[in-house]
Amino acid sequence: MRILLLTPPMTQLNTPYPATAYLTAFLRSRGYDAVQADPAIDLIHRLFCPAGLESIRGELKPSKDHPSVDFFLDHFQQYQRTVGAVMGFLQNQDPTLAMRLTSPDFLPQGGRFKAFDQLAMVQWASQGAPGDGPEPGQDPLEWAFGRLGLHDRAKYLCSLYLDDLADVVHQGIDPHFQLSRYGDRLAASEPSFEPLVQELHNPRPSLIARVLDTMMGELLDQHKPQVVGFTVPFPGNMLGALRLAQGVRQRSPGIKTLLGGGYINTELRQLKDPRLFDYFDYITFDDGEAPLLGVLESIAKHSNVSSDMSGEPTPLLRTMVRGESGQVLWQTTSHLHDIPQGNLPAPTYDGLPLHRYLSVVEMLNPMHRLWSDGRWNKLTLAHGCYWRQCSFCDVTLDYIGRYEESKADQLVDRMVALIKETGQSGFHFVDEACPPKVLAALSQRLLDRGVVASWWGNIRFEKSFNQNLVDKMRQSGLVAVSGGLEVASDRLLEKMKKGVTVEQVAKVAGNFAEAGILVHAYLMYGFPTQTVQETVDSLERVRQLFAEGCIHSAFWHRFACTIHSPIGRDPKAYGITLTQKPDVTFATNDVPFHDPTGVDHDGLGVGLRKAVYNYMHGLGLDEDVRAWFDMKVPKAKVAKDLVARAVSGGPGPRKNPEFYEYRC
């Protein structure tokens, strides 16, 4: 039995999503003929090539409402002439092109290039340079790349070029298409399956839909599978999975189709609409290895019995199917169990076109680029989260709530195997939070065994990350960490059971920064009962963290109440009430709620994001934080040396601290 595993469009462009790599290796270890492919990266290459651009032009009509479309049509010959060079360069195939790509007239510069022009002007002014900006002939990007950073400069310009092309497709051909997602608004917490059904049965399918249909036919011809499995990690993969599965049904209805992944685990647990089974025969939940084995054994059994399907049904684990009367059935058995972490093989990227992934730089920030630049091998150090207490997190679900560590030597063995297979030694540990104990042991074993690797991952800002441990991690290959500062308010951090304080985060982040490790902070606004004053104070603390060099990049997320979190389970304990939900027959995760504070968090979010964007470019660090908001907000009430004292190890907050105010 041949099983084809697919990651549908779209995910990040620089590296494959790891689910199929894990499952392919596991199935092969159990004797199955498993292969994998990545239609997402294939779609990008089919669109952004000379023939693809010709197809795009054939679909477009001039539009005053979409300047990117008109610019593309006006400069089509230049786009078609340069697209091959850009794509090859972003695949690291022809580094000598950097000098040509950075010349001012080689690439057509659409709307996305205006952002870097504006940034260059602001940087010019911030440095106290004379005039209104660089004079003709002066380099507007020297502040970011210096005089020798040609390769990175070219990569940045090519990334903007790619964004321009994506805007053309999004605005002129298919509004569901974006570089890292496809149709996510049709799937994210959508209570009804109907919007997706209507899109799938559109009598005039878009160019993207037609290309995906062609790709699926080619994959079936190439691999001739009996089973096709789709992993859907995010809402932006669901429409792509459905389109590809639709192609399987139309061409080979006898092929069995499976659906699983992170989006399925969180949002489809209350599925009632049986129409989803028009596209998939089985839907599995949580860890995929054991449920997948149960499904494959069931398929094998039924293929070997008479047409009346006689015999006892094969037990399934955490799997949905459609019953004989058309209803959605949940099937699971206590006889099947998940596979222990220690019994799983190293993932394999065999079959995936590693040379075709694109390294892009969409922001001039060294930490932020890690998510899009370079092809990182992805690994997990442990199953679940060792903390699993945060009130906003889906701690009731298996992927977080069931914690199980891997041994350090086994992790190093997996890293060595992947380095040998891929020829690349960069690793992104994709744990919810990398356990300090495991990181300490892993770092020591990497040093003991002389393994040369670069690695990064998500952490909690634990006190255990002292300077000695951080230095050992750096010596073993650590280059960056990301972690949750969330609301940057001690009152709210305690309420969300984060287990850290702002000063502790500052101290730990300072330890990493002191060691030369890049630090990214996840931030949150709109938490239940959060006031405007607390939001302004949070931004001031974040400003100080940037100013003191403790963090290098950050991102503000709007708080969302989810049904699997402690807040969603007990909203009254957090001072909110859930609003009435529609009848859910498809996806549900985010739950609307009423916060009696009545704060305009969406309005505040604009200022928060604007501030952090500037901070990441080294701008506005001396500005009064009130200047970033379009509405009137109170003065910050934060000790002016809060972060500086935390980093230096000085005393904690004084009983009567001196509060300070910035003057406009």
Side-chain angles (χ1 to χ4, degrees):
M1 182 189 301
R2 168 159 283 200
I3 302 102
L4 172 62
L5 300 176
L6 303 176
T7 304
M10 296 292 299
T11 55
Q12 59 193 117
L13 302 180
N14 63 311
T15 196
Y17 192 77
T20 63
Y22 272 98
L23 292 174
T24 298
F26 172 73
L27 290 177
R28 289 179 181 179
S29 73
R30 295 301 180 100
Y32 285 95
D33 181 12
V35 293
Q36 59 185 326
D38 188 350
I41 197 65
D42 192 15
L43 173 64
I44 290 297
H45 282 283
R46 292 184 187 228
L47 290 176
F48 301 147
C49 65
L53 295 190
E54 190 71 58
S55 297
I56 290 172
R57 183 174 70 162
E59 299 275 323
L60 295 173
K61 296 180 180 179
S63 171
K64 294 181 180 179
D65 296 330
H66 301 306
S68 64
V69 172
D70 288 343
F71 185 88
F72 174 80
L73 293 173
D74 291 342
H75 296 80
F76 176 76
Q77 298 299 329
Q78 191 177 7
Y79 273 112
Q80 194 172 45
R81 179 171 61 88
T82 56
V83 68
V86 168
M87 296 295 280
F89 183 79
L90 292 178
Q91 294 174 84
N92 299 309
Q93 292 178 356
D94 193 355
T96 58
L97 266 174
M99 296 189 72
R100 189 81 190 278
L101 291 165
T102 55
S103 63
D105 57 353
F106 184 71
L107 296 178
Q109 298 189 3
R112 294 294 185 126
F113 285 77
K114 294 179 181 178
F116 101 74
D117 286 337
Q118 294 170 354
L119 195 57
M121 297 289 282
V122 175
Q123 285 285 351
W124 183 265
S126 71
Q127 296 169 7
D132 296 327
E135 297 291 335
Q138 289 182 294
D139 183 359
L141 283 175
E142 185 175 341
W143 65 270
F145 299 108
R147 296 183 180 276
L148 294 177
L150 282 177
H151 189 274
D152 278 352
R153 184 193 306 247
K155 189 180 291 187
Y156 175 59
L157 296 176
C158 289
S159 301
L160 295 176
Y161 172 102
L162 207 61
D163 283 333
D164 275 336
L165 288 179
D167 287 344
V168 172
V169 177
H170 175 76
Q171 296 175 8
I173 293 178
D174 191 334
H176 303 306
F177 176 84
Q178 297 181 65
L179 279 182
S180 59
R181 59 182 66 90
Y182 177 46
D184 59 315
R185 293 187 179 182
L186 294 174
S189 292
E190 174 55 55
S192 172
F193 188 41
E194 187 61 29
L196 284 164
V197 171
Q198 292 181 7
E199 185 65 29
L200 291 168
H201 294 282
N202 188 329
R204 299 183 63 184
S206 72
L207 173 65
I208 306 301
R210 301 197 303 272
V211 172
L212 288 177
D213 184 65
T214 299
M215 288 166 50
M216 192 68 248
E218 293 174 359
L219 286 168
L220 294 179
D221 291 340
Q222 176 185 354
H223 297 290
K224 297 179 171 55
Q226 286 76 52
V227 179
V228 180
F230 299 87
T231 181
V232 177
F234 310 109
N237 302 101
M238 189 64 195
L239 178 57
L242 285 162
R243 288 205 184 282
L244 294 171
Q246 186 179 43
V248 175
R249 284 285 196 258
Q250 292 171 349
R251 287 177 174 79
S252 303
I255 293 177
K256 298 298 182 182
T257 52
L258 284 66
L259 179 66
Y263 166 77
I264 309 304
N265 297 338
T266 56
E267 302 219 12
L268 294 191
R269 303 186 89 91
Q270 298 182 29
L271 176 70
K272 298 176 184 176
D273 195 326
R275 290 181 296 174
L276 187 56
F277 292 94
D278 293 341
Y279 307 91
F280 305 102
D281 295 289
Y282 302 89
I283 303 175
T284 65
F285 291 82
D286 302 325
D287 280 11
E289 288 86 358
L292 187 53
L293 282 183
V295 167
L296 295 177
E297 290 172 4
S298 177
I299 293 172
K301 178 178 179 179
H302 288 112
S303 65
N304 292 327
V305 299
S306 61
S307 58
D308 63 357
M309 303 293 281
S310 61
E312 293 295 323
T314 304
L316 298 175
L317 178 65
R318 298 191 305 271
T319 301
M320 282 184 180
V321 297
R322 180 159 54 186
E324 293 182 0
S325 60
Q327 77 278 30
V328 177
L329 298 177
W330 171 270
Q331 296 191 356
T332 194
T333 176
S334 60
H335 300 296
L336 299 177
H337 303 280
D338 286 302
I339 312 299
Q341 290 286 295
N343 295 347
L344 295 175
T348 178
Y349 291 101
D350 177 49
L352 297 178
L354 300 185
H355 63 287
R356 303 192 79 197
Y357 290 89
L358 308 176
S359 291
V360 297
V361 178
E362 295 179 316
M363 181 177 289
L364 300 178
N365 178 280
M367 175 69 204
H368 216 74
R369 69 184 291 179
L370 292 182
W371 278 276
S372 62
D373 188 19
R375 205 206 61 73
W376 300 92
N377 299 314
K378 294 182 182 288
L379 278 176
T380 52
L381 303 179
H383 182 283
C385 176
Y386 70 95
W387 178 251
R388 57 188 182 278
Q389 293 185 49
C390 297
S391 61
F392 59 84
C393 192
D394 293 339
V395 296
T396 61
L397 294 181
D398 180 81
Y399 81 98
I400 291 177
R402 179 168 59 86
Y403 180 68
E404 183 182 352
E405 294 179 358
S406 297
K407 296 185 181 299
D409 270 311
Q410 184 180 47
L411 291 170
V412 176
D413 289 342
R414 291 173 180 172
M415 293 174 70
V416 170
L418 281 171
I419 292 172
K420 182 177 180 180
E421 178 184 87
T422 66
Q424 293 177 297
S425 60
F427 289 85
H428 179 196
F429 297 133
V430 293
D431 298 66
E432 294 298 310
C434 297
K437 182 176 67 172
V438 176
L439 287 177
L442 173 67
S443 299
Q444 188 61 55
R445 295 307 295 146
L446 286 170
L447 292 170
D448 292 343
R449 294 172 58 172
V451 177
V452 177
S454 302
W455 56 273
W456 63 292
N458 197 49
I459 64 162
R460 295 183 67 256
F461 290 106
E462 295 272 9
K463 293 179 181 179
S464 53
F465 288 118
N466 56 47
Q467 202 66 62
N468 289 335
L469 175 55
V470 168
D471 287 341
K472 178 182 289 188
M473 293 162 64
R474 175 186 56 78
Q475 292 166 12
S476 73
L478 175 66
V479 295
V481 294
S482 58
L485 172 57
E486 315 306 354
V487 286
S489 160
D490 285 343
R491 180 186 79 87
L492 295 175
L493 285 170
E494 182 178 1
K495 196 172 183 64
M496 64 173 52
K497 298 182 180 179
K498 189 67 183 177
V500 298
T501 65
V502 174
E503 291 191 56
Q504 178 181 322
V505 170
K507 176 62 176 176
V508 174
N511 289 342
F512 282 107
E514 181 69 20
I517 307 301
L518 295 171
V519 181
H520 174 87
Y522 292 108
L523 303 169
M524 180 188 298
Y525 67 98
F527 190 79
T529 71
Q530 185 173 11
T531 66
V532 175
Q533 183 69 64
E534 286 175 320
T535 302
V536 174
D537 290 349
S538 295
L539 180 57
E540 169 56 23
R541 296 182 184 102
V542 170
R543 185 201 66 78
Q544 290 187 32
L545 286 166
F546 271 102
E548 292 293 331
C550 297
I551 61 175
H552 307 94
S553 75
F555 187 83
W556 288 101
H557 300 260
R558 176 73 156 88
F559 168 78
C561 179
T562 65
I563 59 173
H564 307 296
S565 69
I567 297 177
R569 295 294 180 90
D570 186 13
K572 290 184 179 180
Y574 296 88
I576 61 173
T577 56
L578 304 185
T579 58
Q580 187 172 2
K581 296 184 296 183
D583 183 28
V584 175
T585 58
F586 184 59
T588 180
N589 188 34
D590 295 357
V591 185
F593 64 93
H594 172 69
D595 187 335
T597 58
V599 174
D600 180 10
H601 294 298
D602 291 333
L604 292 170
V606 175
L608 294 173
R609 290 189 293 272
K610 188 189 303 182
V612 163
Y613 179 83
N614 280 273
Y615 295 164
M616 285 193 290
H617 291 94
L619 298 170
L621 291 171
D622 295 325
E623 293 281 343
D624 181 341
V625 294
R626 291 174 293 167
W628 303 110
F629 299 100
D630 295 329
M631 60 182 71
K632 186 176 181 179
V633 296
K635 303 171 184 177
K637 295 182 178 180
V638 179
K640 63 181 180 181
D641 59 349
L642 174 70
V643 171
R645 286 188 291 113
V647 173
S648 66
R654 294 181 289 274
K655 291 183 179 179
N656 296 302
E658 294 180 4
F659 295 116
Y660 79 115
E661 306 166 358
Y662 282 114
R663 301 293 183 185
C664 294

